Each structure stands twice: as structure tokens, then as C-alpha cells.
Amino acid sequence: MIQIFGISKNFDVKKAERYFAERRIPVQKIDLKEKGISKGELESVISALSKKAGGRDAAIEMVADKKHKDYAGFAYLDDSDKFEKLLENPLLLVQPIVRNGKDSATIGYEPDVWKSWT
């Protein structure tokens, strides 16, 4: 099952939802504002991205939205505290996060990657 994490007002989240809807691929939508993201879900996203990013710390940096108003405070945290900060404030995450099982995940609008999933 494909999961889309994001807020409904985010333009890229809407585009991701439309991408899967047009292809009649069922998705589970998780509103980060209402439900947030669980520790296990975030851990599997970080794990899936760490191969591409070059390690866990790099993947954590990759999922943090540098345009978010609270990013400056996040950037100066110790690496060991950044994961917890993302759990506390899931709106700091780049949206959408699209997850396909435990081993595949993308951040942002990535239709070329999603095409290989279907």
C-alpha cells in the first residue's frame, strides 16, 4: 500500500494524490497536521532514503524542509536531536513523503520514481 504524508493544502501533495488517482492506484493519505508521523514510519522513510543520501544523518537533513519557518532552529540542533525534532514538528518535513512499503520512499514530487513502483 502506498502512503502519502502531507497536508491537504500543499500543492505537491495534491499533485501526488492526483498522480495516483489518475492511475487508479489506491493510497493511504496521512495528514501531518492532524496525525503527524509515527516514529516507526519516519524511521522507515529515513532508512529508505539513507542509501540515496549517503547515510542516516544526511537522510534526516534531506527530509527537513529548508523553506519552513522553523528550519533555522532545526539546523543548529545536534544531529542526535534532529530526528526527535522532526517527530515533534512533522510540518518541518518536505512534502509529500510517499512511501511504498518499508523499503521505498520519496520526498517531494517524484513521478519518475513512482512509475517504477506500479
Side-chain angles (χ1 to χ4, degrees), residues 65-77:
D65 185 356
K66 292 168 182 54
K67 296 177 196 151
H68 192 277
K69 61 183 175 59
D70 295 336
Y71 180 78
F74 172 84
Y76 291 105
L77 289 174

Side-chain angles (χ1 to χ4, degrees), residues 62-98:
M62 199 166 111
V63 299
D65 185 356
K66 292 168 182 54
K67 296 177 196 151
H68 192 277
K69 61 183 175 59
D70 295 336
Y71 180 78
F74 172 84
Y76 291 105
L77 289 174
D78 189 63
D79 284 345
S80 60
D81 297 329
K82 289 182 176 180
F83 183 83
E84 291 300 321
K85 184 66 173 177
L86 291 173
L87 283 176
E88 287 170 22
N89 187 356
L91 297 181
L92 256 172
L93 294 164
V94 172
Q95 296 176 45
I97 292 176
V98 182

Side-chain angles (χ1 to χ4, degrees), residues 30-56:
I30 295 100
D31 191 315
L32 290 175
K33 200 177 254 185
E34 285 179 26
K35 294 188 178 177
I37 188 167
S38 75
K39 186 174 185 172
E41 288 165 336
L42 183 56
E43 197 63 68
S44 81
V45 169
I46 297 295
S47 174
L49 294 173
S50 65
K51 299 165 194 116
K52 185 166 69 170
R56 187 176 194 279

